[in-house]
Amino acid sequence: MQTLHELATRLKQARRILVLTGAGISAESGIATFRDAQTGLWSRFRPEDLATPAAFQRDPALVWRWYAWRREQIAQAQPNAAHIALAELARRTSLTLVTQNVDDLHQRAGSTGVIALHGAIARTVCSVTGREISPVWLAANPGEPPRSPHHDRGLARPGVVWFGEELPAEALTAAQAAARGCDVVLAIGTSALVYPAAGLPALAQQHGAWFAEINPQPTPLTSAADLAIVQTAGYAMPAVLDAWENR
Ligand code: BV8
């Protein structure tokens, strides 16, 4: 419990906080993490092999169906205690929330100004132009995937960043600025394997920030953390808020 009290004290004393979340924060909402063994018909695929432009080029229907399955998981999920505690924490202090997740659970928990580095699974864009495709158009033009209204060779694809694709420049610039300007950086529920997102805690530390990690498993960043809390997000984040109140 001492480590949670130390984290609460650090957060309370911080001028500016950067929080980086990964799929682990949505695990207790029932959404499989990105690298967890995929269930059912998806168990024979590695996510990294499906979340690429080449996979979509090779078999657009397969990739479209994988995202439809994931969208369904997210639609049935609710924000969990960790998402809710983070939204509450942001109401008490200056906090920038950067997420690698493509679900909307932070937003549904009340977090605002969320920097979504890897896009949003709920968005659909044209595979050639990148322009948004409306749900109205999709409902009127079903398909796996539907074709795009923006280009005669275009197909509908999820509005997420695939491996090998650039992150949205504005989001990445804002996240890196937040890393340079924070005095506490907190990584929650990420395996810290995917760059440039996983480089944000080190960037913050290079600029003098104190770094804590919440994850039931060790990650490549654990050894660099000033404080490693080996707990689930759903347990640790509400407990940090409780400890904050008793400080
Ligand atoms: C790019 C969207 C320019 C799609 C995703 C530098 C060095 C090395 C490689 C690279 C580099 N720069 C670029 C690369 C290549 C690549 C990369 O990083 N590859 C890795 C695998 C080596 N990066 C890119 O391609 C990026 N683009 O940089 O463009 C470029 C391009 C090519 C070459 C050079 C430069 C684009 C990356 C974005 C990919 N898209 N998602 C989709 O979702 O379908 S990333 C994907 O992994 C996920 O979406 C997620 O965002 C991300 C990280 O995963 P996590 O969120 O951490 O989830 P994971 O399952 O891995 O881990 C869950 C964790 O939770 C675990 O640690 C677990 O212990 C913990 N946990 C479980 N339960 C709980 C919990 N924690 C707390 N509570 C719990 N209850």
Side-chain angles (χ1 to χ4, degrees), residues 22-24 27-28 33-35 67 70 100 118 161 163-167 189-191 193-196 215-217 232-233:
E28 288 155 283
T33 66
F34 192 75
R35 284 168 187 80
Y67 280 93
R70 289 175 61 196
Q100 302 170 85
H118 296 158
V161 180
F163 287 98
E165 293 185 324
E166 297 284 350
L167 274 61
T190 182
S191 60
L193 295 172
V194 175
Y195 283 79
N215 196 319
Q217 300 294 329
T232 64

PDB file of all heavy atoms in Angstrom, residues 22-24 27-28 33-35 67 70 100 118 161 163-167 189-191 193-196 215-217 232-233, ligand 1:
ATOM      1  N   GLY A  22      -2.410   2.153 -22.092  1.00  0.00           N
ATOM      2  CA  GLY A  22      -2.416   1.111 -23.119  1.00  0.00           C
ATOM      3  C   GLY A  22      -3.599   0.186 -22.875  1.00  0.00           C
ATOM      4  O   GLY A  22      -4.428   0.423 -21.984  1.00  0.00           O
ATOM      5  N   ALA A  23      -3.657  -0.874 -23.657  1.00  0.00           N
ATOM      6  CA  ALA A  23      -4.826  -1.771 -23.662  1.00  0.00           C
ATOM      7  C   ALA A  23      -5.137  -2.354 -22.284  1.00  0.00           C
ATOM      8  O   ALA A  23      -6.265  -2.732 -21.986  1.00  0.00           O
ATOM      9  CB  ALA A  23      -4.585  -2.891 -24.665  1.00  0.00           C
ATOM     10  N   GLY A  24      -4.136  -2.406 -21.411  1.00  0.00           N
ATOM     11  CA  GLY A  24      -4.342  -2.980 -20.076  1.00  0.00           C
ATOM     12  C   GLY A  24      -5.366  -2.237 -19.262  1.00  0.00           C
ATOM     13  O   GLY A  24      -6.051  -2.809 -18.414  1.00  0.00           O
ATOM     14  N   ALA A  27      -8.674  -3.702 -19.974  1.00  0.00           N
ATOM     15  CA  ALA A  27      -8.809  -5.168 -19.770  1.00  0.00           C
ATOM     16  C   ALA A  27      -9.953  -5.476 -18.812  1.00  0.00           C
ATOM     17  O   ALA A  27     -10.753  -6.385 -19.043  1.00  0.00           O
ATOM     18  CB  ALA A  27      -7.491  -5.742 -19.248  1.00  0.00           C
ATOM     19  N   GLU A  28     -10.071  -4.690 -17.735  1.00  0.00           N
ATOM     20  CA  GLU A  28     -11.118  -4.971 -16.731  1.00  0.00           C
ATOM     21  C   GLU A  28     -12.495  -4.505 -17.209  1.00  0.00           C
ATOM     22  O   GLU A  28     -13.479  -4.664 -16.501  1.00  0.00           O
ATOM     23  CB  GLU A  28     -10.722  -4.349 -15.389  1.00  0.00           C
ATOM     24  CG  GLU A  28      -9.568  -5.121 -14.734  1.00  0.00           C
ATOM     25  CD  GLU A  28      -8.741  -4.295 -13.777  1.00  0.00           C
ATOM     26  OE1 GLU A  28      -7.918  -3.481 -14.267  1.00  0.00           O
ATOM     27  OE2 GLU A  28      -8.889  -4.454 -12.568  1.00  0.00           O
ATOM     28  N   THR A  33      -6.726  -7.440 -24.373  1.00  0.00           N
ATOM     29  CA  THR A  33      -5.627  -6.516 -24.660  1.00  0.00           C
ATOM     30  C   THR A  33      -5.060  -6.856 -26.040  1.00  0.00           C
ATOM     31  O   THR A  33      -5.348  -7.920 -26.591  1.00  0.00           O
ATOM     32  CB  THR A  33      -4.489  -6.644 -23.612  1.00  0.00           C
ATOM     33  OG1 THR A  33      -3.911  -7.933 -23.743  1.00  0.00           O
ATOM     34  CG2 THR A  33      -5.021  -6.407 -22.220  1.00  0.00           C
ATOM     35  N   PHE A  34      -4.280  -5.949 -26.585  1.00  0.00           N
ATOM     36  CA  PHE A  34      -3.860  -6.098 -27.979  1.00  0.00           C
ATOM     37  C   PHE A  34      -3.083  -7.390 -28.206  1.00  0.00           C
ATOM     38  O   PHE A  34      -3.256  -8.079 -29.200  1.00  0.00           O
ATOM     39  CB  PHE A  34      -2.997  -4.902 -28.394  1.00  0.00           C
ATOM     40  CG  PHE A  34      -2.773  -4.839 -29.876  1.00  0.00           C
ATOM     41  CD1 PHE A  34      -3.791  -4.424 -30.725  1.00  0.00           C
ATOM     42  CD2 PHE A  34      -1.565  -5.248 -30.421  1.00  0.00           C
ATOM     43  CE1 PHE A  34      -3.594  -4.379 -32.103  1.00  0.00           C
ATOM     44  CE2 PHE A  34      -1.362  -5.217 -31.795  1.00  0.00           C
ATOM     45  CZ  PHE A  34      -2.377  -4.782 -32.637  1.00  0.00           C
ATOM     46  N   ARG A  35      -2.218  -7.732 -27.234  1.00  0.00           N
ATOM     47  CA  ARG A  35      -1.363  -8.910 -27.431  1.00  0.00           C
ATOM     48  C   ARG A  35      -1.818 -10.159 -26.663  1.00  0.00           C
ATOM     49  O   ARG A  35      -1.159 -11.180 -26.728  1.00  0.00           O
ATOM     50  CB  ARG A  35       0.092  -8.563 -27.066  1.00  0.00           C
ATOM     51  CG  ARG A  35       0.714  -7.741 -28.181  1.00  0.00           C
ATOM     52  CD  ARG A  35       2.027  -7.087 -27.862  1.00  0.00           C
ATOM     53  NE  ARG A  35       2.350  -6.219 -28.985  1.00  0.00           N
ATOM     54  CZ  ARG A  35       1.826  -5.008 -29.144  1.00  0.00           C
ATOM     55  NH1 ARG A  35       0.989  -4.519 -28.250  1.00  0.00           N
ATOM     56  NH2 ARG A  35       2.118  -4.257 -30.188  1.00  0.00           N
ATOM     57  N   TYR A  67     -11.902  -6.080 -37.273  1.00  0.00           N
ATOM     58  CA  TYR A  67     -12.241  -4.818 -36.603  1.00  0.00           C
ATOM     59  C   TYR A  67     -13.718  -4.785 -36.199  1.00  0.00           C
ATOM     60  O   TYR A  67     -14.076  -4.253 -35.151  1.00  0.00           O
ATOM     61  CB  TYR A  67     -11.838  -3.625 -37.476  1.00  0.00           C
ATOM     62  CG  TYR A  67     -10.362  -3.334 -37.353  1.00  0.00           C
ATOM     63  CD1 TYR A  67      -9.448  -3.891 -38.245  1.00  0.00           C
ATOM     64  CD2 TYR A  67      -9.866  -2.565 -36.303  1.00  0.00           C
ATOM     65  CE1 TYR A  67      -8.088  -3.674 -38.094  1.00  0.00           C
ATOM     66  CE2 TYR A  67      -8.518  -2.338 -36.147  1.00  0.00           C
ATOM     67  CZ  TYR A  67      -7.621  -2.902 -37.046  1.00  0.00           C
ATOM     68  OH  TYR A  67      -6.273  -2.694 -36.885  1.00  0.00           O
ATOM     69  N   ARG A  70     -13.902  -6.537 -32.988  1.00  0.00           N
ATOM     70  CA  ARG A  70     -13.370  -5.704 -31.885  1.00  0.00           C
ATOM     71  C   ARG A  70     -14.314  -4.557 -31.562  1.00  0.00           C
ATOM     72  O   ARG A  70     -14.522  -4.198 -30.400  1.00  0.00           O
ATOM     73  CB  ARG A  70     -11.977  -5.199 -32.251  1.00  0.00           C
ATOM     74  CG  ARG A  70     -10.933  -6.305 -32.225  1.00  0.00           C
ATOM     75  CD  ARG A  70      -9.589  -5.815 -32.715  1.00  0.00           C
ATOM     76  NE  ARG A  70      -9.070  -4.724 -31.878  1.00  0.00           N
ATOM     77  CZ  ARG A  70      -8.082  -3.926 -32.278  1.00  0.00           C
ATOM     78  NH1 ARG A  70      -7.533  -4.074 -33.468  1.00  0.00           N
ATOM     79  NH2 ARG A  70      -7.638  -2.969 -31.490  1.00  0.00           N
ATOM     80  N   GLN A 100      -2.886   4.979 -26.189  1.00  0.00           N
ATOM     81  CA  GLN A 100      -2.570   4.179 -27.378  1.00  0.00           C
ATOM     82  C   GLN A 100      -3.826   3.403 -27.806  1.00  0.00           C
ATOM     83  O   GLN A 100      -3.847   2.791 -28.863  1.00  0.00           O
ATOM     84  CB  GLN A 100      -1.455   3.182 -27.099  1.00  0.00           C
ATOM     85  CG  GLN A 100      -0.163   3.806 -26.614  1.00  0.00           C
ATOM     86  CD  GLN A 100       0.806   2.740 -26.132  1.00  0.00           C
ATOM     87  OE1 GLN A 100       1.558   2.153 -26.910  1.00  0.00           O
ATOM     88  NE2 GLN A 100       0.770   2.474 -24.849  1.00  0.00           N
ATOM     89  N   HIS A 118      -3.170   6.461 -31.652  1.00  0.00           N
ATOM     90  CA  HIS A 118      -3.350   5.428 -32.671  1.00  0.00           C
ATOM     91  C   HIS A 118      -4.740   5.464 -33.297  1.00  0.00           C
ATOM     92  O   HIS A 118      -5.184   4.466 -33.878  1.00  0.00           O
ATOM     93  CB  HIS A 118      -3.077   4.044 -32.062  1.00  0.00           C
ATOM     94  CG  HIS A 118      -1.643   3.889 -31.621  1.00  0.00           C
ATOM     95  ND1 HIS A 118      -1.249   2.961 -30.679  1.00  0.00           N
ATOM     96  CD2 HIS A 118      -0.527   4.566 -31.963  1.00  0.00           C
ATOM     97  CE1 HIS A 118       0.058   3.077 -30.495  1.00  0.00           C
ATOM     98  NE2 HIS A 118       0.523   4.052 -31.248  1.00  0.00           N
ATOM     99  N   VAL A 161      -4.279   3.794 -36.629  1.00  0.00           N
ATOM    100  CA  VAL A 161      -2.929   3.835 -37.197  1.00  0.00           C
ATOM    101  C   VAL A 161      -2.397   2.412 -37.248  1.00  0.00           C
ATOM    102  O   VAL A 161      -2.280   1.760 -36.194  1.00  0.00           O
ATOM    103  CB  VAL A 161      -2.001   4.705 -36.330  1.00  0.00           C
ATOM    104  CG1 VAL A 161      -0.591   4.735 -36.921  1.00  0.00           C
ATOM    105  CG2 VAL A 161      -2.553   6.117 -36.202  1.00  0.00           C
ATOM    106  N   PHE A 163       0.592  -0.581 -38.165  1.00  0.00           N
ATOM    107  CA  PHE A 163       2.059  -0.662 -38.104  1.00  0.00           C
ATOM    108  C   PHE A 163       2.619  -0.243 -39.460  1.00  0.00           C
ATOM    109  O   PHE A 163       2.092  -0.628 -40.502  1.00  0.00           O
ATOM    110  CB  PHE A 163       2.490  -2.086 -37.739  1.00  0.00           C
ATOM    111  CG  PHE A 163       2.219  -2.412 -36.308  1.00  0.00           C
ATOM    112  CD1 PHE A 163       1.078  -3.112 -35.956  1.00  0.00           C
ATOM    113  CD2 PHE A 163       3.069  -1.972 -35.301  1.00  0.00           C
ATOM    114  CE1 PHE A 163       0.787  -3.387 -34.632  1.00  0.00           C
ATOM    115  CE2 PHE A 163       2.798  -2.241 -33.961  1.00  0.00           C
ATOM    116  CZ  PHE A 163       1.640  -2.952 -33.636  1.00  0.00           C
ATOM    117  N   GLY A 164       3.641   0.595 -39.393  1.00  0.00           N
ATOM    118  CA  GLY A 164       4.240   1.104 -40.630  1.00  0.00           C
ATOM    119  C   GLY A 164       3.614   2.401 -41.073  1.00  0.00           C
ATOM    120  O   GLY A 164       4.084   3.034 -42.012  1.00  0.00           O
ATOM    121  N   GLU A 165       2.523   2.826 -40.392  1.00  0.00           N
ATOM    122  CA  GLU A 165       1.880   4.103 -40.740  1.00  0.00           C
ATOM    123  C   GLU A 165       2.306   5.187 -39.751  1.00  0.00           C
ATOM    124  O   GLU A 165       2.552   4.896 -38.573  1.00  0.00           O
ATOM    125  CB  GLU A 165       0.346   3.962 -40.727  1.00  0.00           C
ATOM    126  CG  GLU A 165      -0.182   3.043 -41.829  1.00  0.00           C
ATOM    127  CD  GLU A 165      -1.694   2.996 -41.899  1.00  0.00           C
ATOM    128  OE1 GLU A 165      -2.358   3.054 -40.832  1.00  0.00           O
ATOM    129  OE2 GLU A 165      -2.230   2.885 -43.011  1.00  0.00           O
ATOM    130  N   GLU A 166       2.384   6.398 -40.235  1.00  0.00           N
ATOM    131  CA  GLU A 166       2.743   7.523 -39.362  1.00  0.00           C
ATOM    132  C   GLU A 166       1.620   7.791 -38.372  1.00  0.00           C
ATOM    133  O   GLU A 166       0.437   7.626 -38.705  1.00  0.00           O
ATOM    134  CB  GLU A 166       2.941   8.775 -40.230  1.00  0.00           C
ATOM    135  CG  GLU A 166       4.076   8.688 -41.236  1.00  0.00           C
ATOM    136  CD  GLU A 166       5.454   8.853 -40.592  1.00  0.00           C
ATOM    137  OE1 GLU A 166       5.501   9.227 -39.394  1.00  0.00           O
ATOM    138  OE2 GLU A 166       6.447   8.576 -41.270  1.00  0.00           O
ATOM    139  N   LEU A 167       1.980   8.213 -37.168  1.00  0.00           N
ATOM    140  CA  LEU A 167       0.960   8.653 -36.210  1.00  0.00           C
ATOM    141  C   LEU A 167       0.461  10.032 -36.631  1.00  0.00           C
ATOM    142  O   LEU A 167       1.176  10.758 -37.324  1.00  0.00           O
ATOM    143  CB  LEU A 167       1.569   8.738 -34.805  1.00  0.00           C
ATOM    144  CG  LEU A 167       1.585   7.451 -33.966  1.00  0.00           C
ATOM    145  CD1 LEU A 167       2.387   6.356 -34.634  1.00  0.00           C
ATOM    146  CD2 LEU A 167       2.079   7.705 -32.557  1.00  0.00           C
ATOM    147  N   GLY A 189      -0.901   0.195 -17.868  1.00  0.00           N
ATOM    148  CA  GLY A 189      -1.455  -0.878 -18.712  1.00  0.00           C
ATOM    149  C   GLY A 189      -0.914  -0.919 -20.114  1.00  0.00           C
ATOM    150  O   GLY A 189      -1.645  -1.196 -21.058  1.00  0.00           O
ATOM    151  N   THR A 190       0.410  -0.641 -20.261  1.00  0.00           N
ATOM    152  CA  THR A 190       0.977  -0.786 -21.599  1.00  0.00           C
ATOM    153  C   THR A 190       2.209  -1.681 -21.549  1.00  0.00           C
ATOM    154  O   THR A 190       3.017  -1.608 -20.625  1.00  0.00           O
ATOM    155  CB  THR A 190       1.336   0.560 -22.244  1.00  0.00           C
ATOM    156  OG1 THR A 190       1.841   0.307 -23.569  1.00  0.00           O
ATOM    157  CG2 THR A 190       2.367   1.343 -21.440  1.00  0.00           C
ATOM    158  N   SER A 191       2.364  -2.501 -22.581  1.00  0.00           N
ATOM    159  CA  SER A 191       3.529  -3.403 -22.672  1.00  0.00           C
ATOM    160  C   SER A 191       4.767  -2.638 -23.119  1.00  0.00           C
ATOM    161  O   SER A 191       5.865  -3.185 -23.137  1.00  0.00           O
ATOM    162  CB  SER A 191       3.226  -4.522 -23.681  1.00  0.00           C
ATOM    163  OG  SER A 191       2.972  -3.943 -24.964  1.00  0.00           O
ATOM    164  N   LEU A 193       5.904  -1.703 -25.935  1.00  0.00           N
ATOM    165  CA  LEU A 193       6.612  -2.330 -27.068  1.00  0.00           C
ATOM    166  C   LEU A 193       6.519  -1.514 -28.343  1.00  0.00           C
ATOM    167  O   LEU A 193       7.293  -1.711 -29.261  1.00  0.00           O
ATOM    168  CB  LEU A 193       6.011  -3.721 -27.359  1.00  0.00           C
ATOM    169  CG  LEU A 193       6.179  -4.773 -26.269  1.00  0.00           C
ATOM    170  CD1 LEU A 193       5.370  -6.025 -26.621  1.00  0.00           C
ATOM    171  CD2 LEU A 193       7.656  -5.113 -26.080  1.00  0.00           C
ATOM    172  N   VAL A 194       5.526  -0.615 -28.401  1.00  0.00           N
ATOM    173  CA  VAL A 194       5.223   0.060 -29.664  1.00  0.00           C
ATOM    174  C   VAL A 194       5.692   1.503 -29.605  1.00  0.00           C
ATOM    175  O   VAL A 194       5.334   2.255 -28.700  1.00  0.00           O
ATOM    176  CB  VAL A 194       3.716  -0.008 -29.958  1.00  0.00           C
ATOM    177  CG1 VAL A 194       3.367   0.792 -31.195  1.00  0.00           C
ATOM    178  CG2 VAL A 194       3.291  -1.464 -30.144  1.00  0.00           C
ATOM    179  N   TYR A 195       6.512   1.863 -30.612  1.00  0.00           N
ATOM    180  CA  TYR A 195       7.037   3.221 -30.706  1.00  0.00           C
ATOM    181  C   TYR A 195       6.322   3.981 -31.791  1.00  0.00           C
ATOM    182  O   TYR A 195       5.754   3.358 -32.705  1.00  0.00           O
ATOM    183  CB  TYR A 195       8.548   3.141 -30.988  1.00  0.00           C
ATOM    184  CG  TYR A 195       9.316   2.795 -29.728  1.00  0.00           C
ATOM    185  CD1 TYR A 195       9.375   1.466 -29.274  1.00  0.00           C
ATOM    186  CD2 TYR A 195       9.886   3.786 -28.942  1.00  0.00           C
ATOM    187  CE1 TYR A 195      10.034   1.156 -28.079  1.00  0.00           C
ATOM    188  CE2 TYR A 195      10.539   3.483 -27.759  1.00  0.00           C
ATOM    189  CZ  TYR A 195      10.599   2.169 -27.335  1.00  0.00           C
ATOM    190  OH  TYR A 195      11.220   1.869 -26.163  1.00  0.00           O
ATOM    191  N   PRO A 196       6.319   5.300 -31.750  1.00  0.00           N
ATOM    192  CA  PRO A 196       6.984   6.164 -30.770  1.00  0.00           C
ATOM    193  C   PRO A 196       6.256   6.330 -29.434  1.00  0.00           C
ATOM    194  O   PRO A 196       6.793   6.950 -28.522  1.00  0.00           O
ATOM    195  CB  PRO A 196       7.051   7.502 -31.509  1.00  0.00           C
ATOM    196  CG  PRO A 196       5.907   7.476 -32.448  1.00  0.00           C
ATOM    197  CD  PRO A 196       5.756   6.052 -32.867  1.00  0.00           C
ATOM    198  N   ASN A 215       1.269  -1.816 -13.706  1.00  0.00           N
ATOM    199  CA  ASN A 215       1.126  -2.959 -14.605  1.00  0.00           C
ATOM    200  C   ASN A 215       1.344  -4.231 -13.787  1.00  0.00           C
ATOM    201  O   ASN A 215       2.319  -4.311 -13.053  1.00  0.00           O
ATOM    202  CB  ASN A 215       2.179  -2.874 -15.722  1.00  0.00           C
ATOM    203  CG  ASN A 215       1.850  -3.783 -16.893  1.00  0.00           C
ATOM    204  OD1 ASN A 215       1.403  -4.914 -16.699  1.00  0.00           O
ATOM    205  ND2 ASN A 215       2.030  -3.288 -18.106  1.00  0.00           N
ATOM    206  N   PRO A 216       0.441  -5.228 -13.913  1.00  0.00           N
ATOM    207  CA  PRO A 216       0.657  -6.469 -13.152  1.00  0.00           C
ATOM    208  C   PRO A 216       1.876  -7.266 -13.646  1.00  0.00           C
ATOM    209  O   PRO A 216       2.357  -8.153 -12.961  1.00  0.00           O
ATOM    210  CB  PRO A 216      -0.637  -7.267 -13.368  1.00  0.00           C
ATOM    211  CG  PRO A 216      -1.353  -6.629 -14.491  1.00  0.00           C
ATOM    212  CD  PRO A 216      -0.822  -5.253 -14.660  1.00  0.00           C
ATOM    213  N   GLN A 217       2.362  -6.916 -14.843  1.00  0.00           N
ATOM    214  CA  GLN A 217       3.536  -7.610 -15.415  1.00  0.00           C
ATOM    215  C   GLN A 217       4.679  -6.614 -15.619  1.00  0.00           C
ATOM    216  O   GLN A 217       4.425  -5.427 -15.858  1.00  0.00           O
ATOM    217  CB  GLN A 217       3.171  -8.201 -16.794  1.00  0.00           C
ATOM    218  CG  GLN A 217       2.045  -9.211 -16.784  1.00  0.00           C
ATOM    219  CD  GLN A 217       2.407 -10.478 -16.036  1.00  0.00           C
ATOM    220  OE1 GLN A 217       3.578 -10.881 -16.013  1.00  0.00           O
ATOM    221  NE2 GLN A 217       1.420 -11.091 -15.392  1.00  0.00           N
ATOM    222  N   THR A 232      -3.279  -4.303 -10.902  1.00  0.00           N
ATOM    223  CA  THR A 232      -4.137  -3.973 -12.048  1.00  0.00           C
ATOM    224  C   THR A 232      -4.541  -2.513 -11.940  1.00  0.00           C
ATOM    225  O   THR A 232      -4.554  -1.927 -10.839  1.00  0.00           O
ATOM    226  CB  THR A 232      -5.422  -4.831 -12.031  1.00  0.00           C
ATOM    227  OG1 THR A 232      -6.163  -4.495 -10.853  1.00  0.00           O
ATOM    228  CG2 THR A 232      -5.113  -6.315 -12.066  1.00  0.00           C
ATOM    229  N   ALA A 233      -4.890  -1.931 -13.074  1.00  0.00           N
ATOM    230  CA  ALA A 233      -5.305  -0.522 -13.100  1.00  0.00           C
ATOM    231  C   ALA A 233      -6.597  -0.333 -12.317  1.00  0.00           C
ATOM    232  O   ALA A 233      -6.765   0.650 -11.589  1.00  0.00           O
ATOM    233  CB  ALA A 233      -5.485  -0.085 -14.549  1.00  0.00           C
TER     234      ALA A 233
HETATM  235  C1  BV8 B   1       5.493   4.730 -36.949  1.00  0.00           C
HETATM  236  C2  BV8 B   1      -3.800   0.562 -33.624  1.00  0.00           C
HETATM  237  C3  BV8 B   1       6.858   5.761 -38.623  1.00  0.00           C
HETATM  238  C4  BV8 B   1      -4.336  -0.495 -34.485  1.00  0.00           C
HETATM  239  C5  BV8 B   1      -1.510   0.023 -32.966  1.00  0.00           C
HETATM  240  C6  BV8 B   1      11.235   2.479 -33.281  1.00  0.00           C
HETATM  241  C7  BV8 B   1      11.800   1.322 -32.761  1.00  0.00           C
HETATM  242  C8  BV8 B   1      11.270   0.069 -33.090  1.00  0.00           C
HETATM  243  C9  BV8 B   1      10.176  -0.033 -33.954  1.00  0.00           C
HETATM  244  C10 BV8 B   1       9.642   1.107 -34.455  1.00  0.00           C
HETATM  245  C11 BV8 B   1      10.167   2.370 -34.135  1.00  0.00           C
HETATM  246  N1  BV8 B   1       9.415   3.310 -34.772  1.00  0.00           N
HETATM  247  C12 BV8 B   1       8.469   2.681 -35.500  1.00  0.00           C
HETATM  248  C13 BV8 B   1       8.578   1.345 -35.333  1.00  0.00           C
HETATM  249  C14 BV8 B   1       7.745   0.330 -35.952  1.00  0.00           C
HETATM  250  C15 BV8 B   1       6.471   0.112 -35.139  1.00  0.00           C
HETATM  251  C16 BV8 B   1       6.765  -0.527 -33.815  1.00  0.00           C
HETATM  252  O1  BV8 B   1       6.851   0.148 -32.788  1.00  0.00           O
HETATM  253  N2  BV8 B   1       6.887  -1.849 -33.828  1.00  0.00           N
HETATM  254  C17 BV8 B   1       7.126  -2.573 -32.592  1.00  0.00           C
HETATM  255  C18 BV8 B   1       6.133  -3.731 -32.492  1.00  0.00           C
HETATM  256  C19 BV8 B   1       8.560  -3.045 -32.590  1.00  0.00           C
HETATM  257  N3  BV8 B   1       5.757   1.358 -34.961  1.00  0.00           N
HETATM  258  C20 BV8 B   1       4.967   1.805 -35.953  1.00  0.00           C
HETATM  259  O2  BV8 B   1       4.844   1.235 -37.020  1.00  0.00           O
HETATM  260  C21 BV8 B   1       4.207   3.090 -35.687  1.00  0.00           C
HETATM  261  N4  BV8 B   1       4.388   3.969 -36.814  1.00  0.00           N
HETATM  262  O3  BV8 B   1       6.330   4.835 -36.113  1.00  0.00           O
HETATM  263  O4  BV8 B   1       5.584   5.347 -38.198  1.00  0.00           O
HETATM  264  C22 BV8 B   1       7.693   4.519 -38.905  1.00  0.00           C
HETATM  265  C23 BV8 B   1       7.131   3.454 -39.613  1.00  0.00           C
HETATM  266  C24 BV8 B   1       7.938   2.307 -39.901  1.00  0.00           C
HETATM  267  C25 BV8 B   1       9.258   2.241 -39.456  1.00  0.00           C
HETATM  268  C26 BV8 B   1       9.782   3.299 -38.702  1.00  0.00           C
HETATM  269  C27 BV8 B   1       9.005   4.439 -38.445  1.00  0.00           C
HETATM  270  C28 BV8 B   1       2.719   2.816 -35.594  1.00  0.00           C
HETATM  271  C29 BV8 B   1       2.406   2.044 -34.354  1.00  0.00           C
HETATM  272  C30 BV8 B   1       0.881   1.969 -34.164  1.00  0.00           C
HETATM  273  C31 BV8 B   1       0.384   0.574 -34.459  1.00  0.00           C
HETATM  274  N5  BV8 B   1      -1.041   0.471 -34.121  1.00  0.00           N
HETATM  275  N6  BV8 B   1      -2.816   0.015 -32.698  1.00  0.00           N
HETATM  276  C32 BV8 B   1      -5.198  -1.466 -33.719  1.00  0.00           C
HETATM  277  O5  BV8 B   1      -5.423  -1.287 -32.500  1.00  0.00           O
HETATM  278  O6  BV8 B   1      -5.651  -2.422 -34.354  1.00  0.00           O
HETATM  279  S1  BV8 B   1      -0.437  -0.450 -31.754  1.00  0.00           S
HETATM  280  C33 BV8 B   1      -1.033  -1.662 -30.709  1.00  0.00           C
HETATM  281  O7  BV8 B   1      -0.016  -1.840 -29.736  1.00  0.00           O
HETATM  282  C34 BV8 B   1      -2.199  -1.327 -29.821  1.00  0.00           C
HETATM  283  O8  BV8 B   1      -3.222  -0.600 -30.379  1.00  0.00           O
HETATM  284  C35 BV8 B   1      -1.621  -0.559 -28.680  1.00  0.00           C
HETATM  285  O9  BV8 B   1      -1.934   0.765 -28.902  1.00  0.00           O
HETATM  286  C36 BV8 B   1      -0.158  -0.769 -28.835  1.00  0.00           C
HETATM  287  C37 BV8 B   1       0.559  -1.075 -27.592  1.00  0.00           C
HETATM  288  O10 BV8 B   1      -0.037  -2.226 -27.025  1.00  0.00           O
HETATM  289  P1  BV8 B   1      -0.558  -2.071 -25.509  1.00  0.00           P
HETATM  290  O11 BV8 B   1      -1.597  -1.038 -25.479  1.00  0.00           O
HETATM  291  O12 BV8 B   1       0.576  -1.904 -24.604  1.00  0.00           O
HETATM  292  O13 BV8 B   1      -1.275  -3.463 -25.313  1.00  0.00           O
HETATM  293  P2  BV8 B   1      -0.565  -4.876 -25.068  1.00  0.00           P
HETATM  294  O14 BV8 B   1      -1.620  -5.922 -25.285  1.00  0.00           O
HETATM  295  O15 BV8 B   1       0.718  -4.969 -25.828  1.00  0.00           O
HETATM  296  O16 BV8 B   1      -0.155  -4.853 -23.515  1.00  0.00           O
HETATM  297  C38 BV8 B   1      -1.155  -4.765 -22.526  1.00  0.00           C
HETATM  298  C39 BV8 B   1      -0.452  -4.493 -21.219  1.00  0.00           C
HETATM  299  O17 BV8 B   1      -1.457  -4.327 -20.211  1.00  0.00           O
HETATM  300  C40 BV8 B   1       0.455  -5.614 -20.771  1.00  0.00           C
HETATM  301  O18 BV8 B   1       1.686  -5.070 -20.323  1.00  0.00           O
HETATM  302  C41 BV8 B   1      -0.297  -6.244 -19.594  1.00  0.00           C
HETATM  303  O19 BV8 B   1       0.582  -6.711 -18.590  1.00  0.00           O
HETATM  304  C42 BV8 B   1      -1.079  -5.064 -19.073  1.00  0.00           C
HETATM  305  N7  BV8 B   1      -2.319  -5.402 -18.384  1.00  0.00           N
HETATM  306  C43 BV8 B   1      -3.134  -6.474 -18.585  1.00  0.00           C
HETATM  307  N8  BV8 B   1      -4.192  -6.382 -17.749  1.00  0.00           N
HETATM  308  C44 BV8 B   1      -4.043  -5.235 -17.024  1.00  0.00           C
HETATM  309  C45 BV8 B   1      -2.852  -4.611 -17.426  1.00  0.00           C
HETATM  310  N9  BV8 B   1      -2.429  -3.452 -16.889  1.00  0.00           N
HETATM  311  C46 BV8 B   1      -3.179  -2.897 -15.927  1.00  0.00           C
HETATM  312  N10 BV8 B   1      -4.344  -3.432 -15.486  1.00  0.00           N
HETATM  313  C47 BV8 B   1      -4.794  -4.593 -16.005  1.00  0.00           C
HETATM  314  N11 BV8 B   1      -5.941  -5.135 -15.557  1.00  0.00           N
END
